[in-house]
Amino acid sequence: EVQLLESGGGLAQPGGSLRLSCAASGFIFSDEAMSWVRQAPGKGLEWVSVIRGDSPDTFYSDSVNGRFTISRDNSKNTLYLEMDSLRADDTAVYYCARGFRWIDYWGQGTLVTVSS
Amino acid sequence: QSALTQPPSTSGSPGQSVTISCTGSSSDVGTYDYVSWYQQHPGKPPKLMIYEVSKRPPGVPDRFSGSKSGNTASLTVSGLQAEDEADYYCSSYGGRNNLVFGTGTKVTVL
């Protein structure tokens, strides 16, 4: 059974940093592209970033490019999202997700709140 | 890249059909057959219902079907059931390693 478990969410100050983690199980992690998708309270889904399965290629939405860094440790089956220079409009539930062109599995999400 | 356009809401009685549109551009929906649809119940993560325009993952009822014409994709839910009441989002590969989601549609079962 595929499982994706996010952690690391919480309260951060504007301009601050936060690191999200996603522990994956139930599939060959290194074979799959992994994405982060976020959803602001009461709003729609927004794709944030993707990292290829077996290469260092990473891509970002314009809204986070230069501030967020996606990475993975295939030996630990773990996906990360390093978030710097956080802004109020980064407040959202962040989902760890398997895939890119379509996403077939989603985690339960972790809430990030940016506020002073 | 701009979000794909969906109607904010639609509704139908049990047993009826509803169709949700998803309008993009020649940069995304019109060029790529990587349109997918997701169902999201309140407080839950999204669930993949359709991928590559019209393919259903295992376990998704055949009451759910997808299609595309030009820059507009559509999701049809036939034989509407109470558990189909949810938010639905489309998404499309937008080229240049970018994924774009739709604005979302709330489906109400009357």
Side-chain angles (χ1 to χ4, degrees), chain A residues 27-36 47 49-60 69-75 77-80 97-103, chain B residues 32 34 93-99:
Chain A
F27 64 102
I28 301 174
F29 184 68
S30 59
D31 282 354
E32 305 287 343
M34 297 294 296
S35 295
W36 288 98
W47 173 75
S49 181
V50 64
I51 184 168
R52 302 297 189 197
D54 56 359
S55 80
D57 293 342
T58 60
F59 303 96
Y60 302 90
T69 302
I70 190 172
S71 62
R72 64 194 297 161
D73 186 335
N74 287 342
S75 69
N77 289 351
T78 303
L79 177 72
Y80 303 99
R98 189 179 86 166
F100 175 47
R101 289 189 171 89
W102 65 88
I103 294 173
Chain B
Y32 302 99
Y34 291 118
Y93 179 64
R96 303 179 71 177
N97 295 294
N98 178 64
L99 185 70

Side-chain angles (χ1 to χ4, degrees), chain B residues 10-93:
Chain B
T10 189
S11 63
S13 299
Q16 290 186 331
S17 295
V18 295
T19 296
I20 304 168
S21 62
C22 170
T23 301
S25 69
S26 57
S27 299
D28 39 60
V29 176
T31 294
Y32 302 99
D33 285 338
Y34 291 118
V35 176
S36 53
W37 289 91
Y38 303 89
Q39 177 191 66
Q40 187 179 33
H41 288 108
K44 298 294 187 182
K47 175 187 175 183
L48 179 66
M49 305 302 284
I50 296 287
Y51 67 101
E52 288 187 299
V53 177
S54 60
K55 298 178 181 178
R56 276 187 308 275
V60 172
D62 59 6
R63 303 184 292 104
F64 292 85
S65 61
S67 63
K68 188 184 87 165
S69 177
N71 296 339
T72 299
S74 298
L75 173 73
T76 297
V77 185
S78 306
L80 206 58
Q81 299 183 4
E83 59 262 35
D84 299 333
E85 183 162 298
D87 293 327
Y88 290 82
Y89 294 91
C90 62
S91 77
S92 174
Y93 179 64

Side-chain angles (χ1 to χ4, degrees), chain A residues 11-19 38 67-68 83-91 94 112-114:
Chain A
L11 179 64
Q13 295 211 335
S17 299
L18 214 54
R19 188 196 201 199
R38 68 184 181 183
R67 300 187 300 120
F68 289 11
M83 303 184 293
D84 297 318
S85 303
L86 283 164
R87 309 184 305 220
D89 61 0
D90 293 319
T91 294
Y94 284 74
V112 172
T113 303
V114 183

